[in-house]
């Protein structure tokens, strides 16, 4: 895992966009973002039991697996959004980027690769993209039945109860 401030320069979203300003694990934790490295599924299984994740599935994001819808899906994943549940991803292969918003509305880009696990708290604005390899294989973990409902950022979302709870816990003060 490597994290840094996104440079906001124009260009393909799959490029690194590294501003040169590193972000460490403690800064991520201050945003509610948790990072783990598990070289085997044993660690993932233990964390899943501790946090009450009962279900999981796997997804491969690549042109080979997704065909003609790949480019549209990658663009859709890159729309700024939040979820009302935690988002948990364990990277089984390939690489990708999760971008999360800071208190100052900057983007932190988190580059994940095989054996990295990232937990995004409910209510955090974020987005996802593959890197230039156009391939990532990820396990998704869920507390209940698998669901993935993105709520795209808009002014009305500021009144969402989950967003308000996130802001109160991690962004105020």
């Amino acid at each position: 895992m490597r994290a840094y401030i996104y440079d906001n320069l124009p260009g393909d979203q799959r490029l690194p966009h590294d501003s040169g300003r590193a972000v460490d694990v403690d800064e991520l934790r201050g945003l509610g973002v948790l990072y783990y490295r598990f070289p085997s599924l044993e660690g993932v299984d233990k964390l899943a039991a501790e946090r009450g994740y009962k279900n999981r599935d796997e997804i491969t994001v690549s042109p080979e697996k997704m065909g003609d819808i790949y480019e549209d899906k990658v663009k859709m994943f890159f729309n700024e959004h939040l979820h009302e549940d935690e988002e948990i991803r364990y990277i089984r292969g390939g690489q990708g980027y999760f971008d999360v918003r800071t208190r100052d509305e900057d983007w932190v880009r988190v580059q994940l690769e095989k054996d990295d696990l990232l937990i995004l708290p409910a209510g955090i604005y974020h987005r996802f993209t593959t890197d230039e390899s156009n391939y990532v294989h990820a396990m998704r973990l869920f507390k209940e039945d698998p669901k993935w409902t993105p709520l795209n950022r808009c002014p009305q979302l500021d009144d969402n109860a989950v967003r308000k709870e996130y802001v109160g816990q991690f962004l105020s003060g």
Side-chain angles (χ1 to χ4, degrees):
M1 186 278 296
R2 198 166 68 88
Y4 50 86
I5 299 296
Y6 185 86
D7 66 14
N8 285 316
L9 296 175
D12 191 324
Q13 68 196 36
R14 293 169 274 209
L15 296 174
H17 288 279
D18 188 346
S19 68
R21 294 173 29 213
V23 173
D24 65 27
V25 174
D26 290 334
E27 290 174 274
L28 289 175
R29 193 175 303 114
L31 297 172
V33 176
L34 304 177
Y35 168 75
Y36 301 88
R37 184 156 182 88
F38 294 121
S40 75
L41 281 176
E42 261 180 47
V44 175
D45 293 341
K46 183 178 177 195
L47 180 72
E50 289 170 2
R51 295 184 71 91
Y53 304 144
K54 299 175 192 149
N55 294 301
R56 59 182 73 182
D57 69 8
E58 295 195 21
I59 184 171
T60 300
V61 180
S62 73
E64 292 75 27
K65 284 286 187 185
M66 302 176 93
D68 293 340
I69 66 167
Y70 172 76
E71 289 295 333
D72 289 337
K73 283 289 187 184
V74 169
K75 286 178 182 145
M76 183 189 78
F77 296 153
F78 202 63
N79 287 330
E80 184 174 5
H81 63 278
L82 64 79
H83 300 284
E84 292 181 325
D85 298 307
E86 286 184 334
E87 182 164 344
I88 308 95
R89 298 294 181 264
Y90 176 58
I91 306 302
R92 306 288 312 262
Q95 292 189 144
Y97 300 113
F98 275 93
D99 297 341
V100 297
R101 284 285 188 192
T102 67
R103 287 174 183 83
D104 298 325
E105 290 288 313
D106 290 326
W107 284 112
V108 173
R109 175 152 277 195
V110 182
Q111 179 181 7
L112 299 176
E113 60 187 22
K114 186 178 182 325
D115 299 334
D116 289 339
L117 185 142
L118 195 71
I119 301 174
L120 301 181
I124 191 172
Y125 284 123
H126 65 283
R127 60 191 185 188
F128 170 79
T129 188
T130 57
D131 69 359
E132 294 171 275
S133 72
N134 291 309
Y135 175 82
V136 66
H137 174 199
M139 177 185 289
R140 305 183 297 184
L141 293 95
F142 306 92
K143 291 190 175 183
E144 300 301 330
D145 290 331
K147 64 180 179 178
W148 188 82
T149 306
L151 302 175
N152 288 330
R153 188 167 187 176
C154 65
Q156 296 81 2
L157 208 47
D158 291 340
D159 291 329
N160 177 286
V162 173
R163 175 65 184 166
K164 283 182 173 182
E165 184 177 333
Y166 173 77
V167 168
Q169 186 173 359
F170 294 105
L171 299 185
S172 58

